DNA sequence: TCCTATATGTACCGATCTGTACATATATAA
DNA sequence: TTATATATGTACAGATCGGTACATATAGGA
């Protein structure tokens, strides 16, 4: 029961869940794809739900890490960073295997508001909103909560539209909208 | 095989799919909830996929009907109607049993871009974007396609956020953002 | 009344679902 | 070597999945 073995299972499961969905991915498929035995799988994770939650935790951590780091790489001031988020999103949209936001999908498959998976998906969104609210505050705008909320709305919309409309122009339109909203908020 | 019987089945199936999701809803459950026999169900719909597609068609029609009609009820000019869409969304969010956008969820559960269900979900979004583009053009803005795209992004974002953040303030923030974007687009 | 066509109810198919029992392999310690 | 603990592979349980076979009920026309 090496700890890194468990991490490896979570990483692989995350890939499959992201690609194929949660209900559509059975434990048998995961056992085959990871090459581990079913017994070992259930030694590491008591239930499928536990495995999903572990995968979502990893995704939350790595996605926010990537996004926030990428934003800081390309922009210096808080105001610029708010806008740079849309460039990062665009990069993400253009990646091979882009399939939209894992947490929107998790919330869609587990709709009950107090289901642990739904709760965790909501928490991811809350953390992102919190971060952008901080950026907006540091940018010195009038109503940081409102601007951050609007920026996040544009981001979510861009993600959903990128999936369903199958192009990346939503990222461009969203970025321009965010720039205008920021300018107004800066007075 | 009365035609209205079929419609009734679609209506009921739509409710259950919307409430519980697609993969999570089995034909057995639908048979119980509709009170019809399994044989009859499969007389009307060759496969579960056919039933889902029929349900999505009904949803597309009734949702767009409701939204566009509601918008016209409360606003006269195209510009006002663009903004009024957010008031309509807010009403929707406050309904009992609101569970987000059926087509975002369909796209999330059937991710393959050429899967018929995914295609139909994308078509719904395309039709809405088309309508708002028409409104933006009639409002006489510079770049109707861009403004419509941005309005739709805010709408999608508001829907997703309303689901995951569990409050209706996204509708308010989105509306204000749309008003500012409209004002800018009107020059 | 009898014949035929259609609608229905029920039992079932093979596949797959999550999860477990159990026997075996492997490693460590005495 | 032998005893013990842990990791693994496999087979399977019980439920449910989408879908069908088939027998029965019901209707309308001759």
């Amino acid at each position: 029961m090496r700890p890194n073995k468990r991490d490896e299972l979570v990483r692989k499961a995350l890939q499959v869940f992201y690609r194929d969905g949660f209900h559509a991915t059975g434990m048998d498929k995961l056992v085959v794809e990871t090459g581990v035995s079913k017994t070992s799988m259930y030694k590491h994770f008591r239930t499928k739900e536990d495995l999903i939650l572990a995968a979502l935790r990893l995704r939350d951590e790595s996605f926010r890490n990537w996004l926030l780091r990428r934003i800081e790489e390309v922009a210096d001031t808080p105001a610029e960073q708010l806008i740079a988020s849309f460039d990062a999103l665009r990069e993400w949209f253009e990646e091979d295997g882009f399939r939209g936001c894992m947490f929107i999908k998790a919330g869609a498959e587990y709709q009950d508001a107090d289901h642990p998976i739904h709760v965790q998906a909501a928490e991811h969104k809350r953390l992102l909103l919190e971060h952008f609210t901080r950026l907006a505050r540091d940018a010195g705008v009038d109503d940081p909560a409102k601007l951050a909320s609007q920026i996040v709305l544009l981001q979510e919309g861009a993600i959903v539209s990128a999936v369903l409309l199958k192009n990346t122009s939503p990222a461009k339109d969203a970025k321009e909208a965010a720039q205008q909203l920021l300018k107004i908020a800066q007075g």
Side-chain angles (χ1 to χ4, degrees), chain A:
Chain A
M1 195 125 105
R2 294 164 293 163
N4 52 333
K5 182 70 181 178
R6 185 193 145 101
D7 290 351
E8 192 191 318
L9 291 177
V10 175
R11 250 195 315 276
K12 184 65 190 173
L14 173 57
Q15 285 177 25
V16 182
F17 282 135
Y18 182 67
R19 170 163 42 87
D20 297 342
F22 299 99
H23 284 97
T25 301
M27 293 299 270
D28 287 322
K29 193 200 288 181
L30 289 170
V31 160
V32 170
E33 295 235 18
T34 57
V36 83
S37 77
K38 213 164 181 183
T39 313
S40 304
M41 185 66 98
Y42 275 96
K43 272 259 158 45
H44 286 97
F45 308 98
R46 265 186 49 260
T47 63
K48 180 184 180 183
E49 187 179 306
D50 279 0
L51 176 55
I52 293 177
L53 288 171
L56 288 180
R57 267 190 295 272
L58 172 60
R59 179 70 172 188
D60 169 58
E61 190 192 313
S62 60
F63 182 82
R64 281 192 297 118
N65 237 325
W66 170 81
L67 181 63
L68 305 190
R69 232 167 261 272
R70 192 82 192 89
I71 288 175
E72 287 174 8
E73 277 171 18
V74 300
D76 295 323
T77 70
E80 285 169 346
Q81 288 178 354
L82 284 173
I83 303 305
S85 66
F86 294 92
D87 297 314
L89 285 187
R90 181 177 209 160
E91 290 173 23
W92 178 35
F93 297 167
E94 287 167 355
E95 279 177 19
D96 277 353
F98 167 71
R99 292 253 192 180
C101 170
M102 181 120 209
F103 300 93
I104 292 176
K105 297 193 287 187
E109 289 207 46
Y110 300 90
Q111 306 193 75
D112 214 349
D114 45 7
H115 191 292
I117 294 176
H118 190 103
V119 169
Q120 191 154 320
E123 178 65 6
H124 170 82
K125 295 299 183 190
R126 209 188 51 78
L127 289 170
L128 280 178
L129 177 60
E130 204 170 275
H131 180 80
F132 288 107
T133 305
R134 218 158 25 230
L135 283 183
R137 177 164 30 78
D138 294 347
V141 303
D142 290 342
D143 190 342
K146 186 174 82 177
L147 179 65
S149 168
Q150 291 171 335
I151 298 258
V152 167
L153 292 184
L154 288 167
Q155 291 170 350
E156 309 282 18
I159 296 170
V160 169
S161 295
V163 171
L164 283 180
L165 299 178
K166 287 238 122 343
N167 64 52
T168 56
S169 71
K172 185 166 68 79
D173 296 332
K175 180 180 178 179
E176 290 184 32
Q179 284 170 323
Q180 293 171 328
L181 294 174
L182 172 64
K183 194 185 294 182
I184 293 172
Q186 284 175 325

